[in-house]
Amino acid sequence: MNGAQALIRTLVDAGVDVCFANPGTSEMHFVAALDDVPDMRAVLTLFEGVATGAADGYARMAGRPAATLLHLGPGMANGLANLHNARRGRTPLVNVVGDHARSHKRLDAPLESDIDAVAGTVSGWVRRSLAPADVAADAAAAVAAATSSPGAIATLILPADVSWEDGAEVAEPAPARPAPRVAPSVVQDVADVLTSGEPVVLFLGGDAMTADGQLAAARVAAGTGARLMSETFPPRAARGAGMPDLTRLPYPPEMAIAALAGTKHLVLAGAEAPVHFFGYPDVPGHPVPEDCAVHVLSAPGEDSVAALRALAERAAPDAEPVLLETERPELPSGVLTPRSMAAVIGALLPERAIVVDEALTSGVGLMELTSGAPRHDWLALTGGAIGDGLPMALGAALACPDRPVIGIQADGSAMYTISALWSYAREQLDITTIVCDNGSYAILQHELERVGAASDGKRAGQLLDLGDPDLDFVALATGMGVPATRATTAEELADQLRRSLAEPGPHLIDAVLRR
Amino acid sequence: MNGAQALIRTLVDAGVDVCFANPGTSEMHFVAALDDVPDMRAVLTLFEGVATGAADGYARMAGRPAATLLHLGPGMANGLANLHNARRGRTPLVNVVGDHARSHKRLDAPLESDIDAVAGTVSGWVRRSLAPADVAADAAAAVAAATSSPGAIATLILPADVSWEDGAEVAEPAPARPAPRVAPSVVQDVADVLTSGEPVVLFLGGDAMTADGQLAAARVAAGTGARLMSETFPPRAARGAGMPDLTRLPYPPEMAIAALAGTKHLVLAGAEAPVHFFGYPDVPGHPVPEDCAVHVLSAPGEDSVAALRALAERAAPDAEPVLLETERPELPSGVLTPRSMAAVIGALLPERAIVVDEALTSGVGLMELTSGAPRHDWLALTGGAIGDGLPMALGAALACPDRPVIGIQADGSAMYTISALWSYAREQLDITTIVCDNGSYAILQHELERVGAASDGKRAGQLLDLGDPDLDFVALATGMGVPATRATTAEELADQLRRSLAEPGPHLIDAVLRR
């Protein structure tokens, strides 16, 4: 058995049976070995950023890692931005990065680069397999590192000859570190804070955003009067009817500051203390009031669900959580705006939908107008590196083939990884992509004002404008095998969304928003 | 004057007056300052890999660096693969990478990452500006580092508040290190080798591939009987009628080995000793025969043109170089193959054209059938990171607005940076893109055989096949504002290429090659 065969079998045995691949020459034995290990599903992407973003979305929904197959340093580089997002979301993920044969490494061939340095910036675990006899154990260790709480990126660098040489054997799965339990004394301390009578915000993130975590938190809130809030961009959030009404900390600094104003105690469950995305002139770096004490119920990677349940038992043993009823917005009519787009989505969002949200500025109103839709899951852009939305939807759809996936995608960001659409078509996945087509980097127009950059000049404006020429997303999707339509009114969007949800396979709707 | 204004003015004063930009929030003051410094031309790209590849192509043709404007670590990451190519080609290039404000850095905001580590893998020079008073001098030092021989990537990390704060002043350009001259004793040693009577290959790369370098080398060859050869992928090569017949070292190892068989002396001028792109089972890592001595006339970064001229004076003072006559292939007819495509291009290539070659396997015959075309320049993929072709053409066209640019582009690679087409349309550049549409990663099908991976399995095959669904490049181009047509015969390709060359602005031809 060669190294590649042992590697793939070991990954499958350890529960990693999907691989998003963008191979090159140094990965050809891995590719060949796929025919020997039919339990590994390999999904071709046309760009590594699609592979890594898909692995991110897959793991968020499947709860276990996918692998990527990347071609040397440049392949890793192309996948790096979405690995940044995965790192920020603490997504478990296993990269297999092919490298030159060991004997070739010292020759400084054209594709030689410092893979280890690049990998180290996003990975919690990096190892280079140095012999066929090691590669399977290395793969098992990679999966264990990726799946140990709270989840990390593990990068295994695989020299081509370690892949092609014989002498390898399959390795047993290695044990992963489970989420530690929070000590009862910590729970008691937080319970004391919650019953102090002072204004408390219970701030959720990570695994506290599961349905179980939120329901326990809602009991706490009902019994103590604490306000519930979540991090701005949780990796995965259970939402909809039957869940508590959970405010997200707003993205704009001034709104985040207002949302936390008056809070005396911020209790963190699975989340870090919030900071603003960017620094701005004359604005503090985070929204937590100066006289607010920050308490950690559970750090990321600790068992937040158990901690919240224990907290509810102590602080609010008899409380009934307040949960959202099913309440959909009316179907709007007329011109499409971000808000009417959100209303259409809220009115039609199917039960068990997976929403992949990279709407950015066009997402105004989206949270509010979908909060009473039937139960669904929501995946957000965790690290701010745009271009994760289309790939994440690919991964989510592969993880949950029986659930509808709806990608709400800003136009500028869509162009980063647009070839994800081709993989939707090849795999015939039930993904509806709604492009929020406002013809600009609207977020940057806001940011230009927010930083106080005193320019309304033409040359600056050209860098924030996606017109001249307009992008035709219908043509782009069609060119990659995804049926597409254009909606310019709320009625058209509703019709097209209904049709897309009723038909199998991928669809794209170019939602032209009033500019 | 704020930091951004001083930075941009200093860049312009130092000769860097084009900036390929993909800005975000942390770069908004740089964007605003563009309206204050009209001599800086900012070109918007929709993905950072387009920006960096364009800067590579720009510098290869302009002979001076362009700048890029990238958004924090993920922006740098997205541009990294084409920076790898630029590094391998020793292209001078100045990255400006925005970062968090200094006070925000310690907060580990979502977009925080180790920019320095990523930048270090491709840059010859990295610096973080720490105060508005420093930024202009830092920019001048960056340009000097980039343009010092042999050319390097200089990366300046620019905290947002260093950009927005006042207190900056424009700095004088800093001196760059010129190319060192080769010592006369070295030239004499090589002259002795050339007149030894043993088989010599004079192996050119880098600046030896300029017209002056090649003409001097051709005199040496004519006078001494040395064979002329060049590196496989020179960054820029003068070609066509009036230039010597220069064989490129073939890419496939077995052909490279055959090309150098029997050589007793390999004389390097501006090139490194060749190595194979990849290691293969039971194949040596490089094609130089065991009993062949390697001599360095000029290392990369030394003045190869002067060295070759001095060598010609010593070793072949009276020789007349043998140069190519104008000789174009007949226009072929019938089905389109890589060879008939190459013949069409050879028959119609206009004088002073710039050819950007990322044809990969579809480039078979291209060198041979264009060698007698009128004088032109040829840009190759230097680092093997695919996806440089479309962006390089963008940069080359901006550097040489009066010259036709022809991109010959493999289909799979085109998808890496396809949004470059949008920038062609926005800038209305005279670029003709010929997509070599064979519906597969054909190079990997060869490589799968070459590495001896014994698979003809369906699952492996699916990872090398771009069909199911077919990519429609006409739709993709049209969707980004580039007029496009499809050619399925040699006659259609010739008609469409003629028309594209006659009309201003960008065009794309989807050349459907027999599969």
mmCIF file of all heavy atoms in Angstrom, chain A residues 71-97:
data_model
loop_
_atom_site.group_PDB
_atom_site.id
_atom_site.type_symbol
_atom_site.label_atom_id
_atom_site.label_comp_id
_atom_site.label_asym_id
_atom_site.label_seq_id
_atom_site.Cartn_x
_atom_site.Cartn_y
_atom_site.Cartn_z
ATOM 1 N N HIS A 71 -2.443 22.181 -3.901
ATOM 2 C CA HIS A 71 -1.227 21.965 -4.694
ATOM 3 C C HIS A 71 -0.115 22.910 -4.229
ATOM 4 O O HIS A 71 -0.100 24.078 -4.581
ATOM 5 C CB HIS A 71 -1.575 22.209 -6.157
ATOM 6 C CG HIS A 71 -0.479 21.953 -7.122
ATOM 7 N ND1 HIS A 71 0.316 20.831 -7.093
ATOM 8 C CD2 HIS A 71 -0.038 22.674 -8.190
ATOM 9 C CE1 HIS A 71 1.180 20.872 -8.092
ATOM 10 N NE2 HIS A 71 0.999 21.982 -8.771
ATOM 11 N N LEU A 72 0.760 22.397 -3.422
ATOM 12 C CA LEU A 72 1.950 23.122 -2.956
ATOM 13 C C LEU A 72 1.604 24.492 -2.335
ATOM 14 O O LEU A 72 0.451 24.750 -2.005
ATOM 15 C CB LEU A 72 2.969 23.285 -4.087
ATOM 16 C CG LEU A 72 3.542 21.998 -4.664
ATOM 17 C CD1 LEU A 72 2.914 21.674 -5.994
ATOM 18 C CD2 LEU A 72 5.053 22.089 -4.846
ATOM 19 N N GLY A 73 2.618 25.322 -2.206
ATOM 20 C CA GLY A 73 2.432 26.621 -1.563
ATOM 21 C C GLY A 73 1.408 27.500 -2.251
ATOM 22 O O GLY A 73 0.523 28.068 -1.591
ATOM 23 N N PRO A 74 1.477 27.651 -3.584
ATOM 24 C CA PRO A 74 0.476 28.499 -4.238
ATOM 25 C C PRO A 74 -0.956 27.999 -4.075
ATOM 26 O O PRO A 74 -1.887 28.802 -3.957
ATOM 27 C CB PRO A 74 0.922 28.504 -5.705
ATOM 28 C CG PRO A 74 2.419 28.353 -5.618
ATOM 29 C CD PRO A 74 2.623 27.370 -4.480
ATOM 30 N N GLY A 75 -1.142 26.680 -4.056
ATOM 31 C CA GLY A 75 -2.486 26.158 -3.823
ATOM 32 C C GLY A 75 -2.975 26.509 -2.426
ATOM 33 O O GLY A 75 -4.113 26.932 -2.226
ATOM 34 N N MET A 76 -2.083 26.342 -1.460
ATOM 35 C CA MET A 76 -2.408 26.737 -0.077
ATOM 36 C C MET A 76 -2.713 28.237 -0.019
ATOM 37 O O MET A 76 -3.659 28.668 0.658
ATOM 38 C CB MET A 76 -1.201 26.415 0.802
ATOM 39 C CG MET A 76 -1.336 26.814 2.244
ATOM 40 S SD MET A 76 -1.744 25.385 3.261
ATOM 41 C CE MET A 76 -2.625 26.149 4.606
ATOM 42 N N ALA A 77 -1.912 29.024 -0.726
ATOM 43 C CA ALA A 77 -2.103 30.477 -0.727
ATOM 44 C C ALA A 77 -3.481 30.840 -1.261
ATOM 45 O O ALA A 77 -4.183 31.673 -0.680
ATOM 46 C CB ALA A 77 -1.010 31.144 -1.561
ATOM 47 N N ASN A 78 -3.872 30.206 -2.356
ATOM 48 C CA ASN A 78 -5.183 30.521 -2.927
ATOM 49 C C ASN A 78 -6.323 30.161 -1.981
ATOM 50 O O ASN A 78 -7.397 30.743 -2.055
ATOM 51 C CB ASN A 78 -5.373 29.788 -4.257
ATOM 52 C CG ASN A 78 -4.613 30.438 -5.396
ATOM 53 O OD1 ASN A 78 -4.357 31.638 -5.369
ATOM 54 N ND2 ASN A 78 -4.244 29.643 -6.390
ATOM 55 N N GLY A 79 -6.088 29.195 -1.124
ATOM 56 C CA GLY A 79 -7.129 28.804 -0.176
ATOM 57 C C GLY A 79 -7.055 29.524 1.153
ATOM 58 O O GLY A 79 -7.887 29.314 2.034
ATOM 59 N N LEU A 80 -6.070 30.408 1.306
ATOM 60 C CA LEU A 80 -5.734 30.930 2.631
ATOM 61 C C LEU A 80 -6.801 31.862 3.215
ATOM 62 O O LEU A 80 -7.077 31.827 4.416
ATOM 63 C CB LEU A 80 -4.384 31.654 2.561
ATOM 64 C CG LEU A 80 -3.645 31.826 3.879
ATOM 65 C CD1 LEU A 80 -3.239 30.479 4.463
ATOM 66 C CD2 LEU A 80 -2.396 32.691 3.670
ATOM 67 N N ALA A 81 -7.401 32.703 2.384
ATOM 68 C CA ALA A 81 -8.367 33.681 2.908
ATOM 69 C C ALA A 81 -9.555 32.955 3.542
ATOM 70 O O ALA A 81 -10.017 33.337 4.621
ATOM 71 C CB ALA A 81 -8.827 34.617 1.800
ATOM 72 N N ASN A 82 -10.041 31.918 2.887
ATOM 73 C CA ASN A 82 -11.167 31.204 3.499
ATOM 74 C C ASN A 82 -10.717 30.321 4.659
ATOM 75 O O ASN A 82 -11.523 30.023 5.553
ATOM 76 C CB ASN A 82 -11.950 30.430 2.438
ATOM 77 C CG ASN A 82 -12.891 31.374 1.701
ATOM 78 O OD1 ASN A 82 -13.214 32.449 2.213
ATOM 79 N ND2 ASN A 82 -13.316 30.990 0.511
ATOM 80 N N LEU A 83 -9.465 29.922 4.667
ATOM 81 C CA LEU A 83 -8.948 29.259 5.871
ATOM 82 C C LEU A 83 -8.894 30.247 7.032
ATOM 83 O O LEU A 83 -9.113 29.872 8.186
ATOM 84 C CB LEU A 83 -7.562 28.661 5.597
ATOM 85 C CG LEU A 83 -7.559 27.453 4.641
ATOM 86 C CD1 LEU A 83 -6.126 27.052 4.306
ATOM 87 C CD2 LEU A 83 -8.316 26.265 5.233
ATOM 88 N N HIS A 84 -8.602 31.495 6.714
ATOM 89 C CA HIS A 84 -8.667 32.531 7.761
ATOM 90 C C HIS A 84 -10.068 32.575 8.379
ATOM 91 O O HIS A 84 -10.215 32.599 9.607
ATOM 92 C CB HIS A 84 -8.290 33.896 7.175
ATOM 93 C CG HIS A 84 -8.578 35.036 8.090
ATOM 94 N ND1 HIS A 84 -7.707 35.451 9.064
ATOM 95 C CD2 HIS A 84 -9.668 35.830 8.215
ATOM 96 C CE1 HIS A 84 -8.244 36.448 9.748
ATOM 97 N NE2 HIS A 84 -9.430 36.703 9.243
ATOM 98 N N ASN A 85 -11.086 32.571 7.529
ATOM 99 C CA ASN A 85 -12.457 32.558 8.055
ATOM 100 C C ASN A 85 -12.721 31.308 8.899
ATOM 101 O O ASN A 85 -13.354 31.387 9.955
ATOM 102 C CB ASN A 85 -13.465 32.621 6.903
ATOM 103 C CG ASN A 85 -13.480 33.984 6.232
ATOM 104 O OD1 ASN A 85 -13.412 35.008 6.898
ATOM 105 N ND2 ASN A 85 -13.558 34.003 4.901
ATOM 106 N N ALA A 86 -12.245 30.171 8.415
ATOM 107 C CA ALA A 86 -12.459 28.921 9.158
ATOM 108 C C ALA A 86 -11.744 28.974 10.506
ATOM 109 O O ALA A 86 -12.273 28.525 11.525
ATOM 110 C CB ALA A 86 -11.959 27.738 8.331
ATOM 111 N N ARG A 87 -10.538 29.529 10.514
ATOM 112 C CA ARG A 87 -9.811 29.664 11.779
ATOM 113 C C ARG A 87 -10.590 30.527 12.764
ATOM 114 O O ARG A 87 -10.716 30.207 13.944
ATOM 115 C CB ARG A 87 -8.440 30.297 11.529
ATOM 116 C CG ARG A 87 -7.654 30.578 12.810
ATOM 117 C CD ARG A 87 -6.233 31.048 12.523
ATOM 118 N NE ARG A 87 -6.142 32.454 12.218
ATOM 119 C CZ ARG A 87 -5.967 33.429 13.121
ATOM 120 N NH1 ARG A 87 -5.868 33.135 14.408
ATOM 121 N NH2 ARG A 87 -5.891 34.691 12.753
ATOM 122 N N ARG A 88 -11.123 31.641 12.257
ATOM 123 C CA ARG A 88 -11.880 32.542 13.126
ATOM 124 C C ARG A 88 -13.155 31.888 13.636
ATOM 125 O O ARG A 88 -13.645 32.224 14.707
ATOM 126 C CB ARG A 88 -12.203 33.831 12.373
ATOM 127 C CG ARG A 88 -10.981 34.731 12.227
ATOM 128 C CD ARG A 88 -10.588 35.284 13.574
ATOM 129 N NE ARG A 88 -9.308 35.983 13.554
ATOM 130 C CZ ARG A 88 -8.764 36.542 14.633
ATOM 131 N NH1 ARG A 88 -9.377 36.488 15.804
ATOM 132 N NH2 ARG A 88 -7.608 37.138 14.553
ATOM 133 N N GLY A 89 -13.718 30.977 12.834
ATOM 134 C CA GLY A 89 -14.919 30.262 13.261
ATOM 135 C C GLY A 89 -14.603 29.002 14.043
ATOM 136 O O GLY A 89 -15.513 28.283 14.442
ATOM 137 N N ARG A 90 -13.326 28.703 14.246
ATOM 138 C CA ARG A 90 -12.877 27.480 14.939
ATOM 139 C C ARG A 90 -13.440 26.234 14.268
ATOM 140 O O ARG A 90 -13.860 25.264 14.920
ATOM 141 C CB ARG A 90 -13.253 27.521 16.419
ATOM 142 C CG ARG A 90 -12.624 28.707 17.143
ATOM 143 C CD ARG A 90 -12.828 28.656 18.633
ATOM 144 N NE ARG A 90 -12.087 29.747 19.280
ATOM 145 C CZ ARG A 90 -12.541 30.993 19.405
ATOM 146 N NH1 ARG A 90 -13.727 31.331 18.905
ATOM 147 N NH2 ARG A 90 -11.815 31.905 20.006
ATOM 148 N N THR A 91 -13.441 26.259 12.959
ATOM 149 C CA THR A 91 -13.941 25.125 12.191
ATOM 150 C C THR A 91 -12.894 24.021 12.158
ATOM 151 O O THR A 91 -11.736 24.294 11.839
ATOM 152 C CB THR A 91 -14.216 25.570 10.744
ATOM 153 O OG1 THR A 91 -15.175 26.625 10.753
ATOM 154 C CG2 THR A 91 -14.728 24.423 9.893
ATOM 155 N N PRO A 92 -13.277 22.778 12.457
ATOM 156 C CA PRO A 92 -12.331 21.676 12.253
ATOM 157 C C PRO A 92 -12.166 21.399 10.759
ATOM 158 O O PRO A 92 -13.156 21.341 10.025
ATOM 159 C CB PRO A 92 -13.022 20.505 12.958
ATOM 160 C CG PRO A 92 -14.474 20.821 12.908
ATOM 161 C CD PRO A 92 -14.570 22.334 12.990
ATOM 162 N N LEU A 93 -10.923 21.250 10.316
ATOM 163 C CA LEU A 93 -10.662 21.162 8.874
ATOM 164 C C LEU A 93 -9.279 20.535 8.707
ATOM 165 O O LEU A 93 -8.353 20.855 9.468
ATOM 166 C CB LEU A 93 -10.704 22.599 8.313
ATOM 167 C CG LEU A 93 -10.842 22.859 6.827
ATOM 168 C CD1 LEU A 93 -11.410 24.253 6.591
ATOM 169 C CD2 LEU A 93 -9.538 22.690 6.099
ATOM 170 N N VAL A 94 -9.152 19.652 7.749
ATOM 171 C CA VAL A 94 -7.872 18.982 7.498
ATOM 172 C C VAL A 94 -7.394 19.330 6.089
ATOM 173 O O VAL A 94 -8.024 18.936 5.098
ATOM 174 C CB VAL A 94 -7.993 17.452 7.646
ATOM 175 C CG1 VAL A 94 -6.676 16.773 7.279
ATOM 176 C CG2 VAL A 94 -8.419 17.074 9.057
ATOM 177 N N ASN A 95 -6.317 20.078 5.993
ATOM 178 C CA ASN A 95 -5.710 20.346 4.693
ATOM 179 C C ASN A 95 -4.661 19.281 4.389
ATOM 180 O O ASN A 95 -3.813 18.982 5.239
ATOM 181 C CB ASN A 95 -4.961 21.686 4.699
ATOM 182 C CG ASN A 95 -5.878 22.870 4.858
ATOM 183 O OD1 ASN A 95 -6.873 22.975 4.160
ATOM 184 N ND2 ASN A 95 -5.534 23.769 5.768
ATOM 185 N N VAL A 96 -4.704 18.759 3.188
ATOM 186 C CA VAL A 96 -3.592 17.955 2.684
ATOM 187 C C VAL A 96 -2.945 18.775 1.569
ATOM 188 O O VAL A 96 -3.587 19.075 0.564
ATOM 189 C CB VAL A 96 -4.068 16.592 2.147
ATOM 190 C CG1 VAL A 96 -2.890 15.797 1.589
ATOM 191 C CG2 VAL A 96 -4.788 15.814 3.240
ATOM 192 N N VAL A 97 -1.714 19.180 1.814
ATOM 193 C CA VAL A 97 -1.022 20.029 0.850
ATOM 194 C C VAL A 97 0.109 19.220 0.227
ATOM 195 O O VAL A 97 1.053 18.827 0.924
ATOM 196 C CB VAL A 97 -0.442 21.287 1.531
ATOM 197 C CG1 VAL A 97 0.184 22.203 0.493
ATOM 198 C CG2 VAL A 97 -1.532 22.027 2.295
#
